[in-house]
Amino acid sequence: MIDLVVAAAAVGFWVLVYAFCRLLTRPASPAAAPATMELGAESPALVSLLVNRWSLTEDAAESTLLDLAARRFFELRQPGDDPMRTTVHLSARPPASSDLAAYESQVLERIRGLSVDGVVPITALTFRNAAESARWNKRLRQAVLAEARAAGLSRRRISKTMSTLLSVLAAGVGVVVGFAALRYGFGKPEDDQPPAFAFGFFTFAVLSTLGARSLGERDTPAGRAAASRWLGVRDWLRGHDQFASLPPAAVAVWDRYLAYGAAVGVTRLASAVLDLEMGDKRLVWSSFGGTWHRVRVRYPRFWPRYGRPLPHLLLRAAAYLLAGGLILRLFGALDYFAAPAVLLLALGAYVLIRSLLDLAFTREITGEVLWRESWKSKKQSDDSYVTWLFHLAVDDGSGDRTTAWGLPAAVGSGVRDGDTVTITVRPWSRRIVKIVTVGHGRSREIVDTVTEEETGSLSLTMMPAVATPLFSDETVAQVVGRAVVSAPLPLGLQYNAADTGKPMVLVQSLSGLPGKVAWRANQRGAEVPGGAFVAGDRAAFRRGETTYVVTLMGEGRAGRPHLPWLVAQAR
């Protein structure tokens, strides 16, 4: 028994060292700097890593797509009120792509590869094969992490030095375990048993593999400073509720602000429309509490008590107690069986006491349903399967992390994502015993989240069409070299070719805070008389408190040399 105790103590010591290493290397949670609208030099993908405690989410790819649109590699056009109908149009004369980061080139290559005649619907960018999606997103995340490490913003959570130290300790533990096995009697020539060194080698292999396993990224001093600054930008964006309701096509006006908003997780509508992977049930949007935020959800699968009814837990406790009592009664004189028997008795008593306390201290929680999915099923007589236990994730507003509850099928079969519910739960077993729907909500599915009625009203409110056209059809026709017809859009006023109907020029107007941000974002390029700025296919100018943005589109880009003249003709 002494040999076994020494071996167990050696393994326990290694586990304690490993746990201390994990505790020591937890990613930091920097405090937000004062709210600011000043953007930094980091790309949106890097910002997504920094503000999510050095953990990459789907925001990295989505914000990169918006950033490429803001940098004129392609255009995002919304023909009507529904953002789901947004299309991506590749630029005929895109900027040089030689300076793009690897992950930016990867996003651009996917869009180019899927486009037909330079156009691809935004909804066609999702993956249809889970394995392909996993490979593509893994490559993108690796590229983002490589750039973050090169910039000194991130590093391996378990460093090579720490991993080597854990391997050396694991080797020492393996020697102790092997020696204990030899002393215990294994490895004798006359025994048909595995040699003692096999136990030591197996212990070393398991512990060293565990110590070398990647645990992700962690902070650096430079990374913490950058994260704090970007959290200040996030607070500034969150202070304006309308920002969360901007569609992807609003990048034409909001420029890189929309991309960075997606990176820090405040562009609820744009992020709901964009999808470059299969979706993540562990990071879900919630509006509970009046503001949109994302909640990380954990789904327990290996807890013996999880979602179990009281009779099952009591039966399990009785089985532990009975097994421990029988072992003591039959083999109590043998030291080898004493420890397992005591362990079973202690486990049975623990399960019994916690089950009774769980019954006595039920509590009620009110929150928004984030995710509901089938977990455990049973086979029917006709060989079909029916679910008897669901995972139900609920955001009660207490934090940005939660653990899903076990929902019996008979208790809450009619609950949908987005509903506000009051649940009666048993905290220890995490079982829902009663659920009452307080209010019906929209499904978290994109098709339900982004309705034409709602997005239309939001777009018209946030980006009103130009009441009095700045330019006549004849004036625009002189610039693009062909007859055009104006048509109002939720995003402004669009001039289309009279013969083909293709868009040629888009004019947008914004007032208030959106107008100020749009003016700040578009103050670049050459300044022309009248206080206007012209950069490539786009021009921006102010009239009173209103910002106007003029963008040449498609074949209308042929009029680029005449864009300063067009701005000068504004009424």
Side-chain angles (χ1 to χ4, degrees), residues 202-433:
F202 176 78
T203 302
F204 164 73
V206 171
L207 296 182
S208 60
T209 301
L210 181 62
R213 186 170 62 95
S214 174
L215 296 178
E217 299 292 297
R218 61 170 298 198
D219 55 282
T220 64
R224 289 193 296 272
S228 178
R229 174 166 42 82
W230 283 108
L231 289 173
V233 175
R234 184 187 66 180
D235 289 344
W236 183 83
L237 293 174
R238 279 182 172 176
H240 309 289
D241 296 336
Q242 67 270 30
F243 192 79
S245 303
L246 295 175
V251 72
V253 174
W254 286 80
D255 205 65
R256 301 188 79 184
Y257 277 97
L258 192 66
Y260 283 108
V264 299
V266 296
T267 54
R268 191 266 311 177
L269 183 56
S271 296
V273 175
L274 298 175
D275 187 5
L276 289 172
E277 56 180 30
M278 299 297 291
D280 188 359
K281 67 180 182 180
R282 293 173 175 80
L283 191 64
V284 189
W285 280 104
S286 172
S287 60
F288 190 74
T291 59
W292 284 100
H293 56 281
R294 274 180 167 169
V295 180
R296 291 186 179 276
V297 185
R298 188 161 65 104
Y299 298 87
R301 294 186 178 275
F302 303 106
W303 293 1
R305 68 178 186 273
Y306 183 78
R308 299 293 181 175
L310 180 63
H312 177 91
L313 295 175
L314 294 178
L315 184 61
R316 185 187 295 271
Y320 289 146
L321 292 172
L322 181 60
L326 286 176
I327 292 176
L328 279 181
R329 183 175 182 85
L330 297 177
F331 308 102
L334 299 176
D335 294 338
Y336 303 116
F337 294 95
V342 172
L343 179 62
L344 287 172
L345 290 173
L347 183 60
Y350 172 77
V351 174
L352 176 62
I353 295 173
R354 290 305 302 266
S355 299
L356 296 177
L357 291 175
D358 205 30
L359 178 64
F361 293 99
T362 57
R363 58 191 178 100
E364 289 188 348
I365 297 174
T366 298
E368 178 180 329
V369 176
L370 301 179
W371 198 280
R372 177 180 179 268
E373 70 168 6
S374 174
W375 181 35
K376 286 188 174 293
S377 304
K378 59 182 177 181
K379 192 174 184 180
Q380 302 280 58
S381 57
D382 58 353
D383 292 337
S384 63
Y385 287 86
V386 60
T387 300
W388 63 270
L389 188 64
F390 291 86
H391 279 307
L392 187 75
V394 176
D395 173 30
D396 62 356
S398 60
D400 61 355
R401 296 172 183 269
T402 187
T403 300
W405 300 88
L407 174 66
V411 174
S413 57
V415 176
R416 291 195 62 190
D417 300 340
D419 289 347
T420 301
V421 298
T422 296
I423 55 178
T424 304
V425 299
R426 294 173 182 164
W428 183 66
S429 60
R430 298 201 70 81
R431 180 179 175 88
I432 298 175
V433 296

Side-chain angles (χ1 to χ4, degrees), residues 128-255:
R128 301 183 183 183
N129 181 277
E132 181 183 352
S133 172
R135 288 194 300 269
W136 190 88
N137 282 280
K138 180 179 179 181
R139 183 159 62 93
L140 184 139
R141 290 185 173 94
Q142 289 175 340
V144 175
L145 293 179
E147 180 172 326
R149 291 179 182 177
L153 301 175
S154 181
R155 53 180 167 170
R156 285 169 51 97
R157 182 173 173 181
I158 300 295
S159 64
K160 293 183 178 180
T161 301
M162 193 174 293
S163 178
T164 301
L165 174 62
L166 290 172
S167 296
V168 172
L169 289 177
V173 173
V175 171
V176 173
V177 171
F179 182 74
L182 182 63
R183 294 261 301 171
Y184 202 73
F186 288 96
K188 294 181 179 180
E190 63 274 11
D191 293 338
D192 187 15
Q193 296 175 334
F197 78 87
F199 290 91
F201 180 78
F202 176 78
T203 302
F204 164 73
V206 171
L207 296 182
S208 60
T209 301
L210 181 62
R213 186 170 62 95
S214 174
L215 296 178
E217 299 292 297
R218 61 170 298 198
D219 55 282
T220 64
R224 289 193 296 272
S228 178
R229 174 166 42 82
W230 283 108
L231 289 173
V233 175
R234 184 187 66 180
D235 289 344
W236 183 83
L237 293 174
R238 279 182 172 176
H240 309 289
D241 296 336
Q242 67 270 30
F243 192 79
S245 303
L246 295 175
V251 72
V253 174
W254 286 80
D255 205 65

